[in-house]
Amino acid sequence: MAKPTIALIYDFDKTLCTTDMQEYDFIKNLGIEPNEFWAEAGRMTSKHGMDRILSYMLVMIKKCKEKNIPLTKEYLNKCGENVVLYRGVQTWFDRINEFGESKGVNVEHYIISSGVTEIIEGTPIAKYFKKIYGCKFVYDDNGEAIWPATAINYTLKTQYIFRISKGVLDSIDDDNLNKHTQEKRIEYRNMIYIGDGLTDIPCMKLTREKGGRAIALYQSGKKNTVSQLVKENRINFGCVADYSQNSTLEKIVKLMIENLAILEDLEAKEEKQLSQLIKNME
């Protein structure tokens, strides 16, 4: 019998790393302050009535042209190398995978982010994710970004919960995703969503409505962003963004995995026992 699978689904900015991913090398290399970059994106949003994700992506293209920086996949990958991860993140995935194995379940890790996929792919933890869903660029024949290919705002994030459940991971494979008969590869109850704030509410809400669980993280001493989520009953747990061994986050996630493993085992035993009972009665 195949092992059941549990999906840990993460936001990226301020969930796995300490701030917006553009604020490490990308904005620094432009020679401007982060508030200047985001202010220009905000003005573009207001002026053109644009989605704010499309705005920041366009500003990335615009600023790189102004500074004569080739905005290539390789350059964006390079900008991910110095992203500052929270304490314990780099060893987190092996620890959680090993724990899941010890409980008889497979653990898979996914990213659903409004940040840039190519930057995430340049981080040292990219190898641990079964799939990274983020914003992407279209590149010209010279390999330079010319247009947004995929833009994921906080409401569009929710579609990827369905993709992960059905195992239809290719973003252009909508035919199989929308098939009513498409079986779930991962049960919704076996999903744990980890995010940091208000932009994660749609995914947290959907995950919980479907029977999964949601965890909100906050930086030490900064509980404000989580307080509203608690008051509105959006999350199951809120804790400091610390992924280190024996941290509160690790204890919570391991307890969730253990609980799901027990439930899966119980249901498997029930099915086997009832099947045997019916067979004996024939």
Side-chain angles (χ1 to χ4, degrees), residues 5-174:
T5 299
I6 294 173
L8 266 66
I9 305 169
Y10 311 79
D11 179 36
F12 194 85
D13 293 340
K14 301 175 186 175
T15 295
L16 290 165
C17 65
T18 58
T19 190
D20 294 317
M21 65 182 71
Q22 296 87 348
E23 295 185 16
Y24 299 102
D25 284 358
F26 182 82
I27 293 178
K28 182 175 70 175
N29 292 346
L30 294 174
I32 61 176
E33 294 298 319
N35 61 339
E36 295 177 59
F37 177 88
W38 298 117
E40 184 166 343
R43 288 191 295 271
M44 190 170 289
T45 296
S46 299
K47 181 178 179 180
H48 301 290
M50 292 176 66
D51 180 276
R52 66 183 186 87
I53 305 301
L54 289 170
S55 296
Y56 93 66
M57 295 179 76
L58 187 54
V59 172
M60 288 179 73
I61 295 172
K62 179 174 176 286
K63 286 296 183 184
C64 280
K65 285 183 178 178
E66 290 175 1
K67 300 292 182 176
N68 293 316
I69 298 173
L71 187 57
T72 62
K73 288 183 181 179
E74 293 76 17
Y75 178 71
L76 289 168
N77 289 164
K78 192 74 176 175
C79 289
E81 292 180 2
N82 294 317
V83 164
V84 179
L85 302 167
Y86 281 122
R87 181 183 175 190
V89 167
Q90 294 208 41
T91 60
W92 165 262
F93 304 97
D94 286 333
R95 282 185 278 118
I96 294 302
N97 291 346
E98 288 171 10
F99 182 79
E101 186 71 24
S102 74
K103 298 300 176 182
V105 297
N106 293 318
V107 178
E108 294 178 353
H109 305 271
Y110 297 85
I111 289 285
I112 305 178
S113 172
S114 293
V116 180
T117 298
E118 293 91 335
I119 293 179
I120 299 172
E121 289 173 341
T123 66
I125 59 172
K127 62 185 178 182
Y128 292 107
F129 300 105
K130 185 172 181 67
K131 186 70 176 180
I132 296 171
Y133 293 111
C135 303
K136 290 183 176 181
F137 288 98
V138 174
Y139 298 89
D140 64 17
D141 292 339
N142 295 319
E144 293 189 38
I146 55 172
W147 194 258
T150 303
I152 303 176
N153 62 31
Y154 66 96
T155 52
L156 288 176
K157 280 185 174 184
T158 55
Q159 69 161 294
Y160 299 100
I161 301 290
F162 296 105
R163 290 189 181 281
I164 291 167
S165 175
K166 291 189 174 183
V168 183
L169 302 184
D170 190 336
S171 296
I172 62 172
D173 190 2
D174 288 332

